[in-house]
Amino acid sequence: MLENGLIITVVGMGVVFLFLTLLVVCMNLMAKVIVVINKFMPEVTEETVPVKVNRATEDDVAVAIAVAKMNM
């Protein structure tokens, strides 16, 4: 009875080990394939236009605080 349990355990662990090994090999292979594909079909990227940021002055901050306190 104990022998059958050990055999099933070893076979199960072996199957899982082989599956995980195959998974790692396939992932590494796909990474290499994607590198080759990207050489022929690179991703299209859009150029971003820098956004102008308006800095608030002390007067703007004071007005915003006053309005917030009035609405409380």
Side-chain angles (χ1 to χ4, degrees):
M1 194 78 152
L2 189 60
E3 279 184 34
N4 290 338
L6 289 175
I7 290 171
I8 291 173
T9 301
V10 169
V11 169
M13 290 173 68
V15 168
V16 170
F17 178 76
L18 289 175
F19 173 76
L20 292 175
T21 303
L22 180 65
L23 183 67
V24 169
V25 169
C26 289
M27 289 177 68
N28 286 331
L29 182 63
M30 285 301 295
K32 291 178 183 178
V33 168
I34 289 174
V35 168
V36 171
I37 289 174
N38 279 339
K39 287 182 182 177
F40 295 109
M41 295 181 286
E43 286 187 36
V44 177
T45 57
E46 296 180 13
E47 292 185 24
T48 58
V49 178
V51 177
K52 199 179 234 186
V53 178
N54 292 331
R55 297 285 178 189
T57 62
E58 289 182 15
D59 294 335
D60 296 334
V61 173
V63 169
I65 292 172
V67 169
K69 283 190 177 187
M70 285 178 30
N71 291 331
M72 288 181 151

